[in-house]
Amino acid sequence: MAETITRDTLLYTHAGTRLTPPDSALADGLWLAVQLTSNRSVRISPAAAFLLVAFMGGQSVGTVLSDVSQTGVADPESALTAMSWLRDAGFLVDGSDEGHRWAEHILRTWGKYEWHATADYHLSTFDFPFVDYSQPGGIEFDLQLMSIYESEEPDLNRTKRYRGAAISIPAPTAKAVLDTLQQPFTDAWRRFCAPTEVPSEPTGRVTRENLLRVMAVTFGQLRTRTVSRNGERRDLIRKTSPSGGSRHPIEAYAAVINVEDVPPGFYHFCVETNSLDRIADLPSMSQLEVMFDGPFRSRQELGVEPSVIIVMTSVFDRVMWRYREPRTFRTQFIDAGHLNTTLFVASAAHGYASYSQHGLMDAEIEQLAGVDHLDEGVVYGVAIGVPGTSPEWKKLKKE
């Protein structure tokens, strides 16, 4: 297409283009150019990278050729050849290109909120060819995909277990808790959605029995479903909260601070053994208040001194095996949201208040849990306690 480019041609570097400098480990001096909307990446010369930078925001070919001559990065003929190639590859476009204008709009609009990385993710995943299950053959195609996946890699990741836990406390089953809960769901829901005034005097405290009941009914296994007869796919787990494809990527941990008959520590709720397992000591209270800054705001917001802080993490591989679409990551937050509401209602049914927050020191908490953030990452924190117990609330009542 070199013949279609003249000195008067106005070109733009596609708004979805991203450049990465040469990797020193490769020692080849080539840049990486990525076009997010077409999901194309190529390694290019420094001269080609210079051209992409020069055309950012729009520029005439003649002006860029003058810049090329002045800097000596390439001769004009080679520069024109490179421009033609970059145009054919979709990295250089004219101003009327719809994809470029759309990407430019997204970046400009989302950039007002500093959502730059989010915008890039949106550009790269917007037109992914999802399976339409409502169309004829959609379900059959999905089953074929699962057979292919199964032949390539076993699907066994359902639960997580810390072996050799210092303390392991058996919990009741989720079904057993459901069978004994007497408070109507609507009452517990009303208490969560429209909480009454915090009492002037706190009543009771978080007990071992109730904590185990809340954890079991929220995160425990209710039943299973067999999806494979050859052992390459472990039975799916059903819980009281839904999860897309029954993948249940969320793992639950508990920073026990002040719970009756439960030694302080950092615990993991093991679905496999249906137990609360102590896996680490807690840091000092001052450190906890920094690590769990968000959940500790329950002191001011609800008048609740956290007795225990539930941490939800996501084991990414569980969802990624089944759903290989690039937007799969967002579904894990939907799972966490379902569990969060179930946790709220279950806590309210036992007379406790809950307060959820994303304000967490992810890296420090992941280190406490002994996990790699690329395999399992922190998602949510929920403080649970008795209303009217926080120092701030007591001080307010005195005044």
Side-chain angles (χ1 to χ4, degrees):
M1 291 183 62
E3 67 278 9
T4 65
I5 296 179
T6 68
R7 294 185 66 88
D8 294 329
T9 301
L10 184 63
L11 293 177
Y12 294 76
T13 296
H14 194 291
T17 298
R18 300 293 178 269
L19 286 171
T20 302
D23 186 339
S24 58
L26 297 177
D28 58 6
L30 297 179
W31 287 61
L32 178 67
V34 178
Q35 217 279 51
L36 297 176
T37 60
S38 63
N39 292 300
R40 182 174 187 180
S41 60
V42 294
R43 293 179 65 77
I44 59 176
S45 66
F50 176 92
L51 294 176
L52 289 178
V53 173
F55 282 111
M56 287 182 178
Q59 193 60 267
S60 69
V61 169
T63 299
V64 173
L65 286 175
S66 297
D67 293 339
V68 168
S69 298
Q70 291 177 12
T71 57
V73 296
D75 62 84
E77 184 177 350
S78 297
L80 280 172
T81 301
M83 290 179 197
S84 296
W85 184 87
L86 290 169
R87 189 176 187 181
D88 289 343
F91 290 94
L92 290 180
V93 297
D94 60 49
S96 63
D97 185 89
E98 292 185 2
H100 164 69
R101 293 172 64 183
W102 173 73
E104 196 174 41
H105 170 73
I106 292 295
L107 295 169
R108 182 173 60 253
T109 305
W110 294 26
K112 295 177 182 178
Y113 306 97
E114 302 295 327
W115 294 351
H116 305 296
T118 307
D120 282 0
Y121 183 73
H122 182 69
L123 294 180
S124 64
T125 63
F126 183 76
D127 60 351
F128 184 85
F130 296 96
V131 177
D132 188 345
Y133 296 99
S134 67
Q135 297 300 313
I139 295 178
E140 289 74 13
F141 179 71
D142 180 75
L143 292 174
Q144 292 174 6
L145 278 181
M146 294 306 102
S147 296
I148 294 173
Y149 295 166
E150 187 177 318
S151 67
E152 296 174 343
E153 181 183 4
D155 177 29
L156 307 175
N157 191 340
R158 297 287 183 269
T159 60
K160 177 179 181 178
R161 183 179 181 182
Y162 286 83
R163 299 187 181 278
I167 299 174
S168 184
I169 308 173
T173 64
K175 185 178 185 305
V177 178
L178 287 175
D179 290 341
T180 58
L181 285 176
Q182 299 298 314
Q183 186 177 27
F185 174 84
T186 51
D187 290 354
W189 177 260
R190 201 172 292 116
R191 183 171 185 175
F192 157 53
C193 289
T196 57
E197 183 182 352
V198 176
S200 57
E201 293 298 331
T203 56
R205 61 181 296 195
V206 177
T207 66
R208 168 175 170 153
E209 179 184 6
N210 287 346
L211 173 60
L212 292 173
R213 286 161 60 88
V214 168
M215 296 293 286
V217 78
T218 303
F219 303 105
Q221 175 180 306
L222 196 58
R223 52 183 175 271
T224 61
R225 172 173 170 256
T226 299
V227 290
S228 174
R229 299 296 180 184
N230 60 14
E232 292 302 307
R233 297 188 67 192
R234 187 168 293 171
D235 288 354
L236 297 176
I237 290 176
R238 302 294 204 198
K239 299 185 179 184
T240 55
S241 294
S243 177
S246 290
R247 305 309 297 178
H248 293 291
I250 302 299
E251 287 289 327
Y253 298 83
V256 175
I257 301 169
N258 181 23
V259 175
E260 186 177 280
D261 294 331
V262 179
F266 194 68
Y267 292 76
H268 169 250
F269 183 80
C270 181
V271 176
E272 181 180 333
T273 59
N274 198 48
S275 60
L276 192 62
D277 301 336
R278 190 176 188 275
I279 60 173
D281 295 332
L282 286 183
S284 67
M285 180 57 74
S286 60
Q287 290 176 296
L288 279 177
E289 290 171 343
V290 174
M291 291 171 63
F292 299 95
D293 172 67
F296 267 102
R297 295 176 200 173
S298 64
R299 291 168 167 172
Q300 296 82 20
E301 300 292 333
L302 295 181
V304 170
E305 180 67 22
S307 295
V308 56
I309 297 176
I310 307 301
V311 177
M312 297 186 206
T313 65
S314 181
V315 180
F316 309 123
D317 180 65
R318 291 180 194 162
V319 180
M320 291 170 64
W321 189 96
R322 172 66 172 81
Y323 299 108
R324 306 191 180 191
E325 296 90 345
R327 300 188 198 182
T328 294
F329 182 72
R330 69 178 65 178
T331 65
Q332 296 161 87
F333 295 94
I334 298 174
D335 277 32
H338 281 296
L339 289 165
N340 185 47
T341 300
T342 302
L343 185 63
F344 273 33
V345 174
S347 299
H350 290 85
Y352 307 138
S354 304
Y355 182 78
S356 62
Q357 250 283 348
H358 286 286
L360 304 166
M361 300 290 285
D362 294 7
E364 287 76 4
I365 296 172
E366 288 159 359
Q367 184 177 7
L368 192 61
V371 301
D372 186 316
H373 68 280
L374 294 178
D375 297 322
E376 180 180 349
V378 169
V379 175
Y380 232 157
V382 183
I384 298 176
V386 177
T389 53
S390 74
E392 289 84 351
W393 182 261
K394 293 177 180 179
K395 180 180 179 181
L396 181 63
K397 294 302 290 186
K398 289 180 180 179
E399 295 175 349

